[in-house]
Amino acid sequence: MTKSKTARNKPSVKKTSPAFIRFWSKKETRIAFGIILTGMALYLSIIFFSFLFTGSSDFSKVENLAFGDMDKIGSDIRNLGGAFGAWTSNMIINHWFGIPTLFVIVFIWFLGLRMIGAVKTSLIKVFVLCTLGLIWFSLFLGFFFKSFYEGSFLMWGGSHGYFASEWLTIRIGWSGTSIVIIGSLLIF
């Protein structure tokens, strides 16, 4: 009986969550961050689609250009995002995953809209679908549209698709790579 009396007389210790968690649990913080993400997705959408139409004229100005040298480009960039938009879209599309980079933008849209409260979809499901779509389409475009790369400003599958398809072709041949790509589509 004495044990229960001491347990009752003990002052309760209120557990508080860290400031970081309290900050992110506020509705205002989530909405503000969601608006920032949605704005970023809108900007990326504009510069990526602009790159698809104006990239041929901007390519020679931004290819192999360091980030700090963008001041030297001048004002003759046709991308709607200016020099930064042309450089960023060239870097992300040609040097990363190609046109399937649009899956990243789709995920950022969903993430921003989810934080605002406009959509109620599962972010894990969207993340998995966008990641698989990004990797598969990059490989598909890098393999089957390799002949379009010559003389073009646009690497359809990006460097990832190009080098991954080259790696597969060296190891299992053209027919084996075709079977892996088409088979993975059927499995998915």
Side-chain angles (χ1 to χ4, degrees):
M1 198 155 168
T2 54
K3 289 183 183 179
S4 64
K5 283 184 180 179
T6 56
R8 278 190 244 156
N9 293 338
K10 205 179 223 186
S12 64
V13 178
K14 186 177 180 183
K15 293 184 179 180
T16 59
S17 57
F20 179 76
I21 294 184
R22 284 192 313 253
F23 176 75
W24 284 104
S25 64
K26 292 181 183 178
K27 184 177 182 180
E28 295 84 11
T29 304
R30 287 192 312 265
I31 290 174
F33 194 64
I35 290 171
I36 291 169
L37 283 174
T38 306
M40 187 173 84
L42 178 64
Y43 180 73
L44 288 172
S45 299
I46 290 169
I47 65 171
F48 285 4
F49 283 111
S50 178
F51 180 77
L52 296 177
F53 297 106
T54 64
S56 59
S57 65
D58 296 340
F59 181 72
S60 62
K61 299 171 189 110
V62 296
E63 182 62 18
N64 299 323
L65 185 70
F67 180 76
D69 295 336
M70 278 194 290
D71 299 349
K72 300 175 185 173
I73 293 177
S75 61
D76 54 341
I77 296 290
R78 294 185 54 212
N79 190 299
L80 295 176
F84 179 75
W87 182 84
T88 303
S89 54
N90 177 59
M91 184 62 65
I92 292 174
I93 291 176
N94 284 332
H95 295 282
W96 291 1
F97 288 95
I99 295 172
T101 303
L102 296 174
F103 283 105
V104 174
I105 297 174
V106 168
F107 179 72
I108 296 172
W109 273 108
F110 271 102
L111 183 60
L113 293 174
R114 172 76 188 264
M115 293 189 89
I116 292 171
V119 295
K120 300 291 182 196
T121 187
S122 167
L123 284 180
I124 294 173
K125 180 180 179 182
V126 172
F127 176 77
V128 168
L129 290 174
C130 286
T131 302
L132 291 175
L134 175 74
I135 294 169
W136 188 86
F137 275 105
S138 176
L139 183 60
F140 173 81
L141 292 172
F143 182 70
F144 288 109
F145 292 91
K146 196 181 306 180
S147 61
F148 290 106
Y149 289 178
E150 297 172 14
S152 174
F153 73 96
L154 181 64
M155 291 183 72
W156 289 33
S159 292
H160 168 265
Y162 177 78
F163 289 117
S165 66
E166 285 291 311
W167 184 83
L168 279 172
T169 304
I170 289 170
R171 269 113 188 121
I172 59 177
W174 191 90
S175 59
T177 304
S178 300
I179 291 170
V180 166
I181 292 172
I182 294 170
S184 64
L185 174 66
L186 297 175
I187 290 171
F188 179 62

